[in-house]
Amino acid sequence: MGSTRRFLSRYVAPNLPPYGLGWVMLFATNWVVVRIPAIVGEALTILEERGPQALAGTRSLATELLVLGAVVIVVRSLSRVLFFNPGRRVEYQVGVDVFGHLLSLQRPFYMKRKVGELVSIASNDTTSVRLLVGFAALQVCNVAVAIPLHLYQMAVTDWQLTLWCLIPVAFGAVYMQFTVRKFFGMVRDSMQMLARVSDRILEIYSGIGTVRSHAAEAAAFERFDLRNREYLDLQLRIARVRAFSMPVLGFSGLVGTGIVLWVGSMQVVDDGMPVGNLATFTALLMSLVGNLTALAWVLAAVSRGVVSWGRIDELLETPPALPDERSPLQLDAPPKLELRALSFQYPDGDEPALHDIDITVEPGKTLGIFGKTGSGKTTLVEVLTRVHTPPEGTVFVDGIDARDVPLADFRDAMAVVPQSPFLFSTTLRENIRLQGANPYKAAADASTTEAMPDARLDEVLTAACLWDDVEQLPNGLDTVVGERGVMLSGGQRQRAALARALYRSRPLLLLDDILSAVDQGTEARMVSAIRQLRGGVAGSMAPTTIIVSHRTSVLEHADEIVVLADGRIVERGTHVELLAKGGEYAETHDHQGGEGA
């Protein structure tokens, strides 16, 4: 019930006024629908008498039919508008809530949930919720109003015939109760299968280059076809259940109609029942059967909507797994960064990935982190950036425990260049000026942006060694780089991400192996630019900087270098001190120096 209450209070309650007015329109619609057969019956009864007086009576009834026909057009249209518009608003609000909550969830959540499933929830499930609160709500309210009005008018016309026709309809209702339970479980399985199909499509799309380069199209198609066929088979079973439920309801209605004609005709002959009453009753029964048949479509919409809301609610109720926030962080100058006996273990890990890390980085200084693949470098950066929440009392910024700082404030104080940078499918200019700008700004607006001078942008492009590449692009900075920056090489993407971080000019800068995809000439220029960070960017103070790399040439200028192995600090000191020790760092430096020569 908690899930239902949340849905009603969050999304349905704000739309109660249009729903209430829509219900009034539905009542008016069904009243007119029920009244029309009664008018036809009255006209037939009057015509039995024949004569001028009867003709005059039918003219007034005909006028009433014309008026009611015009009224039903208006009230029926209004009822749909008043129900469907809230559905669109709910779809929008659910989509916003899902997207906002996904932004608040941390890395452990995404390590357990597949992207395809999340895409399916954000698209297919939100659409199903719209149908639930729009189309399904309209039909449910319509049936709830129509059935009592029809039964009332039928009972007023002839209560005995009403009892006779309800017998087969009751059998149809029992069958529908069985169908609802079966259909609900099949729809739940269908939504889960659709999520798996979506995940398979995204997987193949992301790896399309690998598939083509290894000529594995047939295998990829076979894997996709397997998932897709499972989904198809289940959809066919659902269609069969739904298709069979409609004829059963229709058949029960036809049986009831046959009973009405049989019993009613005998009453007309034996008891003098007016033919108009029989015509009225038959028309009402056919209209009632039509409403009952619509329940099959309502069944599908309600089942999908309820299942979809359950999946959405489960996602929205997933806690962000963030500690309580107690201390706001406002950094106007480069901070002091401290790591005190930091040990960290992944939620599903068998042993800690980091062991007793003790590091102090003074304000404006640079820390270098060196280590081979798998030594824990990236894990350490992810803990420092709170991609993974550090243990309490292990990471401090200006003496404040990082766990006590609101995550938005903490991340706003830093600029991060990850090992695998992400670029949006927009212009290079907008990718670099991401902070405070719309990353999906239309390329058509590039001319306006280009006309605005930006000294900071020019400076960071020079620092990231991007100017030569920009000049070679078709439209310079206003070139659309494509999905994930596909128009750029790996090194260009890394340098664009570095330019983005420098453009932010934050007091804390973290660079995670940003030179892994550049040539040695570019590396030399970028190392020189990074060294100049001590003088700041665009006139600002030098940030407190952490540089992660497996190349010793990148770390030569660092104030201190720590060497990681198996998540532990095995060496520390300046570049010169580490070379004098003759350890792993010195061996790697000699080896890389030989390669450079």
Side-chain angles (χ1 to χ4, degrees), residues 493-509:
R493 287 195 292 271
Q494 284 187 334
R495 282 176 282 148
L498 175 61
R500 173 193 294 169
L502 298 181
Y503 188 84
R504 294 191 67 191
S505 187
R506 291 299 189 264
L508 185 58
L509 178 65

PDB file of all heavy atoms in Angstrom, residues 493-509:
ATOM      1  N   ARG A 493      40.188  13.482 -27.285  1.00  0.00           N
ATOM      2  CA  ARG A 493      39.139  13.461 -26.263  1.00  0.00           C
ATOM      3  C   ARG A 493      39.722  13.724 -24.880  1.00  0.00           C
ATOM      4  O   ARG A 493      39.129  14.437 -24.067  1.00  0.00           O
ATOM      5  CB  ARG A 493      38.407  12.114 -26.296  1.00  0.00           C
ATOM      6  CG  ARG A 493      37.484  11.937 -27.485  1.00  0.00           C
ATOM      7  CD  ARG A 493      36.524  10.777 -27.277  1.00  0.00           C
ATOM      8  NE  ARG A 493      37.210   9.490 -27.270  1.00  0.00           N
ATOM      9  CZ  ARG A 493      37.433   8.758 -28.345  1.00  0.00           C
ATOM     10  NH1 ARG A 493      37.034   9.181 -29.536  1.00  0.00           N
ATOM     11  NH2 ARG A 493      38.042   7.588 -28.257  1.00  0.00           N
ATOM     12  N   GLN A 494      40.887  13.136 -24.600  1.00  0.00           N
ATOM     13  CA  GLN A 494      41.519  13.373 -23.304  1.00  0.00           C
ATOM     14  C   GLN A 494      41.896  14.833 -23.126  1.00  0.00           C
ATOM     15  O   GLN A 494      41.687  15.431 -22.064  1.00  0.00           O
ATOM     16  CB  GLN A 494      42.753  12.478 -23.155  1.00  0.00           C
ATOM     17  CG  GLN A 494      42.424  11.017 -22.861  1.00  0.00           C
ATOM     18  CD  GLN A 494      43.676  10.216 -22.558  1.00  0.00           C
ATOM     19  OE1 GLN A 494      44.768  10.553 -23.005  1.00  0.00           O
ATOM     20  NE2 GLN A 494      43.522   9.147 -21.788  1.00  0.00           N
ATOM     21  N   ARG A 495      42.418  15.432 -24.173  1.00  0.00           N
ATOM     22  CA  ARG A 495      42.828  16.833 -24.064  1.00  0.00           C
ATOM     23  C   ARG A 495      41.617  17.766 -23.996  1.00  0.00           C
ATOM     24  O   ARG A 495      41.654  18.797 -23.342  1.00  0.00           O
ATOM     25  CB  ARG A 495      43.738  17.202 -25.238  1.00  0.00           C
ATOM     26  CG  ARG A 495      45.167  16.688 -25.051  1.00  0.00           C
ATOM     27  CD  ARG A 495      46.031  16.967 -26.241  1.00  0.00           C
ATOM     28  NE  ARG A 495      45.756  16.024 -27.318  1.00  0.00           N
ATOM     29  CZ  ARG A 495      45.847  16.316 -28.624  1.00  0.00           C
ATOM     30  NH1 ARG A 495      46.176  17.537 -28.997  1.00  0.00           N
ATOM     31  NH2 ARG A 495      45.608  15.404 -29.533  1.00  0.00           N
ATOM     32  N   ALA A 496      40.535  17.395 -24.681  1.00  0.00           N
ATOM     33  CA  ALA A 496      39.303  18.187 -24.565  1.00  0.00           C
ATOM     34  C   ALA A 496      38.760  18.116 -23.136  1.00  0.00           C
ATOM     35  O   ALA A 496      38.278  19.117 -22.590  1.00  0.00           O
ATOM     36  CB  ALA A 496      38.261  17.670 -25.548  1.00  0.00           C
ATOM     37  N   ALA A 497      38.855  16.937 -22.521  1.00  0.00           N
ATOM     38  CA  ALA A 497      38.410  16.801 -21.126  1.00  0.00           C
ATOM     39  C   ALA A 497      39.310  17.613 -20.194  1.00  0.00           C
ATOM     40  O   ALA A 497      38.838  18.203 -19.212  1.00  0.00           O
ATOM     41  CB  ALA A 497      38.417  15.331 -20.713  1.00  0.00           C
ATOM     42  N   LEU A 498      40.620  17.650 -20.478  1.00  0.00           N
ATOM     43  CA  LEU A 498      41.526  18.470 -19.673  1.00  0.00           C
ATOM     44  C   LEU A 498      41.180  19.948 -19.827  1.00  0.00           C
ATOM     45  O   LEU A 498      41.144  20.691 -18.834  1.00  0.00           O
ATOM     46  CB  LEU A 498      42.972  18.220 -20.103  1.00  0.00           C
ATOM     47  CG  LEU A 498      44.029  19.102 -19.435  1.00  0.00           C
ATOM     48  CD1 LEU A 498      44.027  18.901 -17.925  1.00  0.00           C
ATOM     49  CD2 LEU A 498      45.414  18.828 -20.023  1.00  0.00           C
ATOM     50  N   ALA A 499      40.911  20.380 -21.048  1.00  0.00           N
ATOM     51  CA  ALA A 499      40.521  21.767 -21.273  1.00  0.00           C
ATOM     52  C   ALA A 499      39.237  22.095 -20.514  1.00  0.00           C
ATOM     53  O   ALA A 499      39.088  23.188 -19.955  1.00  0.00           O
ATOM     54  CB  ALA A 499      40.339  22.025 -22.765  1.00  0.00           C
ATOM     55  N   ARG A 500      38.303  21.163 -20.486  1.00  0.00           N
ATOM     56  CA  ARG A 500      37.052  21.365 -19.739  1.00  0.00           C
ATOM     57  C   ARG A 500      37.343  21.569 -18.260  1.00  0.00           C
ATOM     58  O   ARG A 500      36.781  22.462 -17.618  1.00  0.00           O
ATOM     59  CB  ARG A 500      36.140  20.162 -19.947  1.00  0.00           C
ATOM     60  CG  ARG A 500      34.884  20.171 -19.102  1.00  0.00           C
ATOM     61  CD  ARG A 500      34.205  18.809 -19.138  1.00  0.00           C
ATOM     62  NE  ARG A 500      33.694  18.492 -20.458  1.00  0.00           N
ATOM     63  CZ  ARG A 500      33.251  17.281 -20.804  1.00  0.00           C
ATOM     64  NH1 ARG A 500      33.298  16.285 -19.936  1.00  0.00           N
ATOM     65  NH2 ARG A 500      32.784  17.068 -22.019  1.00  0.00           N
ATOM     66  N   ALA A 501      38.234  20.739 -17.702  1.00  0.00           N
ATOM     67  CA  ALA A 501      38.562  20.862 -16.281  1.00  0.00           C
ATOM     68  C   ALA A 501      39.267  22.179 -15.995  1.00  0.00           C
ATOM     69  O   ALA A 501      38.984  22.846 -14.990  1.00  0.00           O
ATOM     70  CB  ALA A 501      39.432  19.685 -15.851  1.00  0.00           C
ATOM     71  N   LEU A 502      40.207  22.577 -16.863  1.00  0.00           N
ATOM     72  CA  LEU A 502      40.915  23.834 -16.649  1.00  0.00           C
ATOM     73  C   LEU A 502      39.983  25.031 -16.806  1.00  0.00           C
ATOM     74  O   LEU A 502      40.146  26.050 -16.128  1.00  0.00           O
ATOM     75  CB  LEU A 502      42.081  23.945 -17.639  1.00  0.00           C
ATOM     76  CG  LEU A 502      43.164  22.867 -17.523  1.00  0.00           C
ATOM     77  CD1 LEU A 502      44.267  23.124 -18.542  1.00  0.00           C
ATOM     78  CD2 LEU A 502      43.735  22.814 -16.119  1.00  0.00           C
ATOM     79  N   TYR A 503      39.007  24.911 -17.686  1.00  0.00           N
ATOM     80  CA  TYR A 503      38.054  26.004 -17.895  1.00  0.00           C
ATOM     81  C   TYR A 503      37.245  26.261 -16.627  1.00  0.00           C
ATOM     82  O   TYR A 503      36.886  27.405 -16.334  1.00  0.00           O
ATOM     83  CB  TYR A 503      37.128  25.662 -19.063  1.00  0.00           C
ATOM     84  CG  TYR A 503      36.235  26.799 -19.484  1.00  0.00           C
ATOM     85  CD1 TYR A 503      36.675  27.777 -20.355  1.00  0.00           C
ATOM     86  CD2 TYR A 503      34.931  26.887 -18.995  1.00  0.00           C
ATOM     87  CE1 TYR A 503      35.854  28.826 -20.741  1.00  0.00           C
ATOM     88  CE2 TYR A 503      34.094  27.926 -19.370  1.00  0.00           C
ATOM     89  CZ  TYR A 503      34.563  28.901 -20.240  1.00  0.00           C
ATOM     90  OH  TYR A 503      33.752  29.939 -20.614  1.00  0.00           O
ATOM     91  N   ARG A 504      36.967  25.216 -15.865  1.00  0.00           N
ATOM     92  CA  ARG A 504      36.220  25.390 -14.619  1.00  0.00           C
ATOM     93  C   ARG A 504      37.033  26.163 -13.583  1.00  0.00           C
ATOM     94  O   ARG A 504      36.474  26.852 -12.739  1.00  0.00           O
ATOM     95  CB  ARG A 504      35.842  24.032 -14.032  1.00  0.00           C
ATOM     96  CG  ARG A 504      34.871  23.223 -14.866  1.00  0.00           C
ATOM     97  CD  ARG A 504      34.361  22.039 -14.093  1.00  0.00           C
ATOM     98  NE  ARG A 504      33.532  22.455 -12.978  1.00  0.00           N
ATOM     99  CZ  ARG A 504      33.112  21.659 -12.004  1.00  0.00           C
ATOM    100  NH1 ARG A 504      33.485  20.399 -11.996  1.00  0.00           N
ATOM    101  NH2 ARG A 504      32.351  22.105 -11.040  1.00  0.00           N
ATOM    102  N   SER A 505      38.376  26.011 -13.618  1.00  0.00           N
ATOM    103  CA  SER A 505      39.264  26.732 -12.704  1.00  0.00           C
ATOM    104  C   SER A 505      38.835  26.556 -11.247  1.00  0.00           C
ATOM    105  O   SER A 505      38.569  27.518 -10.532  1.00  0.00           O
ATOM    106  CB  SER A 505      39.297  28.224 -13.068  1.00  0.00           C
ATOM    107  OG  SER A 505      40.278  28.898 -12.295  1.00  0.00           O
ATOM    108  N   ARG A 506      38.772  25.298 -10.820  1.00  0.00           N
ATOM    109  CA  ARG A 506      38.373  24.991  -9.456  1.00  0.00           C
ATOM    110  C   ARG A 506      39.604  24.874  -8.556  1.00  0.00           C
ATOM    111  O   ARG A 506      40.713  24.615  -9.024  1.00  0.00           O
ATOM    112  CB  ARG A 506      37.569  23.695  -9.415  1.00  0.00           C
ATOM    113  CG  ARG A 506      36.184  23.816 -10.058  1.00  0.00           C
ATOM    114  CD  ARG A 506      35.363  24.864  -9.325  1.00  0.00           C
ATOM    115  NE  ARG A 506      33.973  24.884  -9.736  1.00  0.00           N
ATOM    116  CZ  ARG A 506      33.452  25.685 -10.645  1.00  0.00           C
ATOM    117  NH1 ARG A 506      34.236  26.556 -11.262  1.00  0.00           N
ATOM    118  NH2 ARG A 506      32.174  25.641 -10.951  1.00  0.00           N
ATOM    119  N   PRO A 507      39.437  25.036  -7.251  1.00  0.00           N
ATOM    120  CA  PRO A 507      40.585  25.002  -6.336  1.00  0.00           C
ATOM    121  C   PRO A 507      41.170  23.612  -6.148  1.00  0.00           C
ATOM    122  O   PRO A 507      42.254  23.461  -5.584  1.00  0.00           O
ATOM    123  CB  PRO A 507      39.997  25.531  -5.021  1.00  0.00           C
ATOM    124  CG  PRO A 507      38.533  25.274  -5.113  1.00  0.00           C
ATOM    125  CD  PRO A 507      38.183  25.404  -6.551  1.00  0.00           C
ATOM    126  N   LEU A 508      40.475  22.573  -6.595  1.00  0.00           N
ATOM    127  CA  LEU A 508      40.968  21.206  -6.464  1.00  0.00           C
ATOM    128  C   LEU A 508      40.897  20.544  -7.834  1.00  0.00           C
ATOM    129  O   LEU A 508      39.828  20.498  -8.454  1.00  0.00           O
ATOM    130  CB  LEU A 508      40.136  20.427  -5.445  1.00  0.00           C
ATOM    131  CG  LEU A 508      40.582  19.007  -5.084  1.00  0.00           C
ATOM    132  CD1 LEU A 508      42.005  19.007  -4.541  1.00  0.00           C
ATOM    133  CD2 LEU A 508      39.621  18.393  -4.068  1.00  0.00           C
ATOM    134  N   LEU A 509      42.030  20.030  -8.333  1.00  0.00           N
ATOM    135  CA  LEU A 509      42.122  19.457  -9.676  1.00  0.00           C
ATOM    136  C   LEU A 509      42.649  18.035  -9.584  1.00  0.00           C
ATOM    137  O   LEU A 509      43.683  17.786  -8.963  1.00  0.00           O
ATOM    138  CB  LEU A 509      43.046  20.308 -10.548  1.00  0.00           C
ATOM    139  CG  LEU A 509      43.292  19.827 -11.982  1.00  0.00           C
ATOM    140  CD1 LEU A 509      42.006  19.875 -12.798  1.00  0.00           C
ATOM    141  CD2 LEU A 509      44.385  20.673 -12.645  1.00  0.00           C
TER     142      LEU A 509
END
